[in-house]
Amino acid sequence: MEAGLDFSTFYRAEYQRVFKAIVLSCGDRDMAHEVTQDAFAHAYVRWRRLSRKEWAGGWVMTTALNMMRKEGKRRSTFSPNVAEGAHPVESLNAKDLDLVKALRGLAPRQRTAVVLHYLEDMPVDMIATQMHIAPGTVKALLFQARKNLQKDLRDES
């Protein structure tokens, strides 16, 4: 990200990426839209400081993932089974729906690490900074998540 970028340009450049990751994580378009908007609203309030950071997009992504997790706990419709979700994503194909279901079955920290690393291509050190944990912990979360996803996705086949 370019230092000194204005917020509206940042928003247009990052919104779809954040929204897509949240939709894949929760399977609920309404919740994804809500938490993505809220995360960008938080970024706007902090924009004077964030605009100078190359990791501003990662900050918004992590904020949105944390908000999704909190909102999911608040809503009774949040469950590991996509079919039970309030508004599952109808536009996704069967493989994507299987991925959504598998991601939702992960522990929240595993899911966050997976989304940031594999969907957002964020390096382990940056994920550690964003999640306020050690890089070794990120690696352990990713290892455990890969094992769980492999098992869940194989069972779905």
Side-chain angles (χ1 to χ4, degrees), residues 6-45:
D6 69 279
F7 185 78
S8 61
T9 303
F10 170 75
Y11 178 84
R12 284 191 303 274
E14 298 290 326
Y15 181 85
Q16 278 300 88
R17 183 177 68 85
V18 174
F19 178 74
K20 182 180 178 185
I22 301 303
V23 166
L24 285 174
S25 293
C26 72
D28 183 332
R29 289 178 84 67
D30 292 340
M31 183 191 296
H33 178 71
E34 184 179 319
V35 299
T36 302
Q37 289 292 333
D38 287 348
F40 276 100
H42 280 43
Y44 182 75
V45 171

Side-chain angles (χ1 to χ4, degrees), residues 102-115:
L103 284 171
R104 290 178 77 192
L106 293 175
R109 289 182 356 141
Q110 287 178 7
R111 182 173 47 242
T112 298
V114 165
V115 168

Side-chain angles (χ1 to χ4, degrees), residues 106-118 124 127-128 131-149:
L106 293 175
R109 289 182 356 141
Q110 287 178 7
R111 182 173 47 242
T112 298
V114 165
V115 168
L116 293 176
H117 189 67
Y118 293 109
V124 168
I127 296 169
M131 292 180 71
H132 307 290
I133 58 178
T137 305
V138 173
K139 291 176 184 178
L141 289 169
L142 290 170
F143 176 78
Q144 218 30 61
R146 280 191 303 268
K147 280 179 45 181
N148 292 336
L149 287 170

Side-chain angles (χ1 to χ4, degrees), residues 2 4 28 43 48 63 68 76 83 86 88 96-97 103 120 130 136 144 152:
E2 230 177 88
D28 183 332
R48 214 170 110 197
T63 301
M68 178 199 69
S76 63
D96 287 339
L97 287 173
L103 284 171
E120 294 308 309
Q130 294 294 319
Q144 218 30 61
D152 289 347

Side-chain angles (χ1 to χ4, degrees), residues 41-99:
H42 280 43
Y44 182 75
V45 171
R46 294 162 179 78
W47 189 243
R48 214 170 110 197
R49 285 179 299 186
L50 279 176
S51 67
R52 293 175 257 162
K53 306 295 184 185
E54 66 180 38
W55 44 259
W59 184 91
V60 172
M61 178 68 71
T62 303
T63 301
L65 288 164
N66 289 337
M67 290 175 157
M68 178 199 69
R69 187 176 67 247
K70 288 175 187 170
E71 181 66 14
K73 286 179 184 176
R74 191 182 68 74
R75 291 184 186 192
S76 63
T77 58
F78 190 80
S79 74
N81 188 343
V82 174
E84 294 174 10
H87 302 283
V89 182
E90 293 88 9
S91 61
L92 294 177
N93 62 39
K95 278 189 175 184
D96 287 339
L97 287 173
D98 289 343
L99 178 59

